[in-house]
Every structure is written in C-alpha cells, then in structure tokens.
Amino acid sequence: MRWLKPVVFTASLLPVAWLGWQAAYGSLGINPVETLNRFLGDWALRFLLLALAVTPLRQWTHWAPLARLRRMVGLFAFFYVCLHLASYVGIDLFFDWAALWKDVVKRTYITLGMGCFLLLLPLALTSTDSMIRRLGGKVWRKLHRLVFPAAILGVAHFWMMVKADIREPLVYAVILAVLLGWRLRTFVRTPQRA
Amino acid sequence: MLIKPAADLRDNDVTDHALYLDRRRFLAGAVAAGSVLGVGRGLRAATADDTPTPFEAVTTYNNYYEFGTSKEDPAVTAPGRLKTAPWTVAVDGECAKPGTIGLEDLIKPVQVEDRIYRLRCVEGWSMVIPWRGVPLSEVLKRFEPNSKAKYVEFTTLADRAQMPGLRIPVLDWPYVEGLRLDEAMNPLTLLATGLYGKDLLPQNGAPLRLVVPWKYGFKSIKSIVGIRFTENQPLNSWQKYNPREYGFYSNVNPQVDHPRWSQANERRIGEFRRRPTLMFNGYGEQVAGLYAGLDLKANF
C-alpha cells in the first residue's frame, strides 16, 4: 500500500491546482473574488467531512491502510480552511481588520466559521508524532474530539451563509449527521472503549 | 421642471457595440489579472468612476430565482424558455381605468429613454447598467389611480412550463414587489424594456422590468405581468421570506447593515477592491425628500 498516501496527497492538491490554472489561463467568472472564496470554502468543508469519513470507512470496509490517511486528510481540511480564511481576509476584505472584527462579532455565520477555524487550529498544531507522544494518547484523543463541534460549526456556517436555497448545505448536513450517527452507534455498542 | 437623473451619467456614456465587445475581452483579462495580480489593479479600480459594466457581465451574472438560484443559471435556462411575445400586463386595484393591456400599447405612447443607473445588489455587489425604458409615472398615470391608491404592487410571471426554478419552493411564487405610490411616481423610477440599446434578454427580466436605482436590486422586479394599485402596503416576496433580513423599503443605506453582511461597501463587478456604498446608492438628491421624517433604520 505504499502508493496510497502519495496518490491521495496528489489528489488532494487537485482543487487548488485547478484554481491556479483557472486564475492563470481561464476565468473565475464575473465575480472572481466570490468564486475563489466559495470554491475554497466548499473544499474545506468537503475535506473536513472526508476526514471524518476515514474511520467509519475503515471500520466498514475492514481495510486497515485507510487509517494512515486520517491525519493527512484532516490536515488537508485545515489547509483548505486556511486558504478560505486567507482569501476572505486578504482578498475579499483586503486586510481591513476593523471590518473583519465587525464581521466576526456581528454576523453569526462568520462567527461560526471563525469558531470552526479556532477549534481546528490546536488539532493541526498537535498533529505531529512528537505532539501525540508529548500529550499522551488519551489526552490527544480527547483533544481531537474537537473535530466534531468544528464540523458542526462548519456546516452551520455554510447553512447560515446561504440566502434561501438550502439544498446544498442540506447535503453536507445529512452527510455529517450520518458520520456522527455512525460514531454514536459504535459508542453505544461499546461504551467502555469510547 | 427639468429632471436630470444622475447628472454624472449621460446618454452618450452608453457604450457602442464594438466597444462593448472589446470590453468582453478586457473583462476576461481583468478577471484573470484581478485574481492573480489583484493588488495593483485594484488600487486603480477603487478610484475609477461609474463606467458601465460590460454587457457580458450584465447578462450572465443574474439573480432570477425563477430560472435557478445560482447566478449563472438564468443566462443558461431563461433564453429559449421564456416566451416574451405576446406579453400582456394586467392592471387593477385602486384606479379608474383598470384592464389588461399589451406590452406595445403600454409602452408606445411614452417616449423611450436611455438612462445609465448604478445597480446595487443587497448581496454586496454592484454594476452600472445603461437601461432603455420609460418613466413608470408616465405609464401609471394613464390608469388614473384614485385617492385610495397609496402603493403599487408588481407581480412577476409564474409559469412552471417556462420557469424551471418554480419547481423549488425557495420563495412563495409568484415574485411580488411593491413601491409607495410617490416612489413609483418619482422621475428616477424606470420601467425598462432594454439595456445597452437593445431589448432586454430573458435573464434580465424581459420583456418588461422595474428599475429603482436607489433601492437594492431585488426591488427591481423582472418580467412584470401584473400591476395593482393598493391602499395597504404590499408584502414583497423577500420580506415575506425573511422579515428580519428584508424590509419593504430596502433603500440602499450603508448605515443599516443586513444582519448577515455589511452594507457599508460593495464590490463593483470588474473591480478588485470594495468601494464605499453611497446613501440611496448616490441618488439622495433626487429621492431623499421622499423619506423626510421616516426612521430609515426601523423602515429598512
């Protein structure tokens, strides 16, 4: 299974590569700033859900190598979250910090999005082997349960941003519910291991 | 009295066809440059004035939920589906001469004008559009609204056969908008039949739409089939959908934020940096008087 990680790593870079290609040779549409920001947000959410899908998929398929992908997919989720945040702060708001602060405190969907980022930040920082050792498996696992509220905030952020047509955020919400439901099921079945 | 709608924008600012084709190329380049080089271009654009937005952008970036909720949808789904002729408008309510009237007969008696207006969407983007149309007041007068007529309510076509978006109950169809009668009679309020010197395209609300340049874009209702004079304030579709976020007046106002985004500034399509939003979208001189004594924060 030595091919697995490099293949997934390369595939995970495709969205950002596509974006770069479009920006350079194609078009990001009539409102490129909006396109850029939405595109990065979409992929941040997709990778976040994908990261949450790794463990259920492994348990379901009994294919052990999947476990090795969890950290990488999770870090890609954080990577796209960072790009999404950077495009919002750096390109959309053009580093208008006052406007950013107003947005964060005043607009619920931005508050939630920022909350999602802040919850993911310690997870990314403690993703290295040495950090796992330093924290100890138990504490580390406990800390990394923050990914669940982070994902909920992420989906809520998208849901509340949408003006009226909630079909797309609904799809994400259903997938998240299934992924959280799976864990609840295993949790109920084997409470001592949880 | 001579009315000069937007003194800064004149008829001869309307771009001729060759130039707008040129702009299409410019836009394609600008979009790429804007996203890659961003900064330098943006600083320049932030000080640029009201150059009409390229035809390409005006006709492919539309909010017209009857044809789909993404901005790219209407330009794809509306042409070929929306049948704009023959077209009739039913006029009723508080007036002496109600009736159903063909589009030709509605417009013909009035002198058609070209007017360049800024359009500010509630979502925080804006365009500059050279409209063609007639002053709404000239059209409304002929139906002789009576003393009970305080408001005018407009209705968009709602035909499932022509409008695929109606299958999704995003809004309560048909789309409805309204104006106070004095707003409707203001010389700035335009009943548009065209843009860039040509007939309106389906995605822009053909064959007949409202243009109220000092209000957020959703007030400028598209593909009008009904006009009604009413005594009570109409309940417009977006207010009905979410009264906390959308009001009846919906005047462009940088001081009153939408609950989910700032209205203090806007992104002019084709520009990189945001520019400040102007009170009444810059038409205060012509319309501020309509709202003397009205609390614009409460009546957003």
Side-chain angles (χ1 to χ4, degrees):
Chain A
M1 293 304 146
R2 289 184 63 186
W3 54 271
L4 188 64
K5 270 181 112 169
V7 165
V8 174
F9 185 88
T10 311
S12 302
L13 285 171
L14 287 179
V16 77
W18 184 89
L19 201 62
W21 179 267
Q22 286 298 312
Y25 300 104
S27 156
L28 291 177
I30 300 299
N31 192 346
V33 177
E34 186 189 61
T35 308
L36 177 76
N37 203 33
R38 296 275 168 91
F39 181 90
L40 291 169
D42 284 346
W43 282 102
L45 208 47
R46 282 168 201 160
F47 272 97
L48 195 52
L49 294 185
L50 212 56
L52 286 181
V54 171
T55 299
L57 265 176
R58 178 179 56 80
Q59 291 166 340
W60 189 48
T61 60
H62 300 288
W63 197 44
L66 278 175
R68 279 188 279 149
L69 293 178
R70 194 171 66 164
R71 168 160 60 188
M72 193 171 74
V73 177
L75 282 171
F76 266 112
F78 187 69
F79 171 68
Y80 281 100
V81 166
C82 288
L83 288 182
H84 176 55
L85 182 61
S87 89
Y88 161 61
V89 176
I91 295 176
D92 192 355
L93 295 181
F94 208 78
F95 303 105
D96 184 344
W97 302 108
L100 173 68
W101 181 244
K102 264 205 269 180
D103 270 357
V104 170
V105 295
K106 206 171 162 184
R107 281 167 244 290
T108 318
Y109 82 98
I110 292 175
T111 317
L112 298 183
M114 211 54 92
C116 175
F117 168 73
L118 290 178
L119 288 179
L120 290 176
L121 187 63
L123 308 195
L125 293 177
T126 58
S127 65
T128 60
D129 288 336
S130 69
M131 279 310 285
I132 298 172
R133 267 195 308 274
R134 268 168 68 182
L135 289 172
K138 219 171 167 184
V139 174
W140 188 89
R141 264 197 301 278
K142 223 173 199 170
L143 175 69
H144 278 248
R145 278 190 206 131
L146 283 177
V147 73
F148 302 124
I152 293 170
L153 289 182
V155 171
H157 163 71
F158 184 30
W159 188 296
M160 295 189 70
M161 185 273 295
V162 166
K163 242 169 88 187
D165 187 358
I166 51 117
R167 285 174 298 165
E168 217 183 315
L170 187 64
V171 171
Y172 288 90
V174 167
I175 294 172
L176 178 63
V178 168
L179 294 175
L180 294 180
W182 174 279
R183 287 173 170 84
L184 207 63
R185 208 187 61 145
T186 21
F187 180 79
V188 170
R189 276 190 182 173
T190 52
Q192 72 279 11
R193 261 179 49 207
Chain B
M1 185 177 109
L2 181 68
I3 306 296
K4 280 194 282 180
D8 51 331
L9 300 173
R10 292 172 207 289
D11 281 3
N12 58 13
D13 286 339
V14 179
T15 316
D16 69 50
H17 197 72
L19 195 60
Y20 106 67
L21 284 176
D22 225 42
R23 281 221 177 88
R24 294 166 73 129
R25 255 171 272 133
F26 161 77
L27 185 75
V31 159
S35 47
V36 181
L37 311 166
V39 190
R41 206 192 94 66
L43 290 173
R44 209 150 31 88
T47 57
D49 51 0
D50 293 313
T51 311
T53 306
F55 182 83
E56 168 88 7
V58 175
T59 56
T60 60
Y61 190 77
N62 309 102
N63 274 326
Y64 195 168
Y65 281 15
E66 284 86 336
F67 291 101
T69 51
S70 106
K71 292 201 180 51
E72 292 74 31
D73 285 342
V76 177
T77 57
R81 276 202 181 85
L82 182 66
K83 197 167 163 259
T84 56
W87 192 272
T88 56
V89 180
V91 183
D92 59 8
E94 304 293 344
C95 62
K97 293 181 171 170
T100 298
I101 184 166
L103 178 66
E104 282 280 292
D105 301 323
L106 191 73
I107 300 300
K108 219 191 308 173
V110 192
Q111 177 70 43
V112 171
E113 300 173 29
D114 284 322
R115 292 197 192 169
I116 304 175
Y117 284 155
R118 287 176 286 271
L119 175 112
R120 168 63 156 80
C121 179
V122 71
E123 296 166 352
W125 53 268
S126 64
M127 293 183 177
V128 176
I129 303 177
W131 299 103
R132 172 163 287 183
V134 297
L136 177 65
S137 60
E138 296 292 322
V139 172
L140 293 186
K141 263 191 264 177
R142 286 160 44 215
F143 300 97
E144 297 178 13
N146 62 37
S147 61
K148 277 168 130 182
K150 300 281 191 295
Y151 298 90
V152 196
E153 182 186 285
F154 304 86
T155 309
T156 296
L157 176 76
D159 180 1
R160 271 176 173 247
Q162 300 180 58
M163 302 169 140
L166 294 188
R167 270 171 254 150
I168 308 138
V170 179
L171 294 174
D172 190 7
W173 316 111
Y175 192 80
V176 170
E177 259 307 336
L179 294 173
R180 229 167 52 190
L181 190 62
D182 58 347
E183 296 176 325
M185 291 300 191
N186 186 280
L188 277 185
T189 310
L190 196 71
L191 204 50
T193 56
L195 58 82
Y196 268 102
K198 286 178 290 215
D199 283 347
L200 285 175
L201 294 176
Q203 60 267 37
N204 294 108
L208 186 71
R209 67 169 290 167
L210 198 63
V211 180
V212 198
W214 72 93
K215 292 176 180 284
Y216 294 118
F218 68 88
K219 294 294 289 183
S220 293
I221 185 169
K222 299 183 175 84
S223 307
I224 298 168
V225 293
I227 298 176
R228 173 175 293 163
F229 296 97
T230 66
E231 193 175 2
N232 299 317
Q233 184 172 296
L235 182 59
N236 48 321
S237 290
W238 278 104
Q239 189 185 9
K240 190 173 182 181
Y241 172 75
N242 191 340
R244 202 178 68 89
E245 299 191 358
Y246 306 95
F248 172 76
Y249 283 96
S250 301
N251 292 317
V252 175
N253 188 340
Q255 279 125 49
V256 178
D257 278 347
H258 183 280
R260 283 186 289 144
W261 50 79
S262 166
Q263 296 294 34
N265 50 47
E266 66 201 49
R267 175 162 293 107
R268 178 68 52 83
I269 295 300
E271 293 180 2
F272 178 69
R273 292 283 300 270
R274 286 171 172 273
R275 55 161 74 199
T277 288
L278 307 171
M279 187 65 200
F280 296 118
N281 205 20
Y283 299 100
E285 205 181 304
Q286 291 94 334
V287 301
L290 292 167
Y291 309 105
L294 189 76
D295 179 355
L296 292 172
K297 241 188 175 99
N299 298 280
F300 57 94

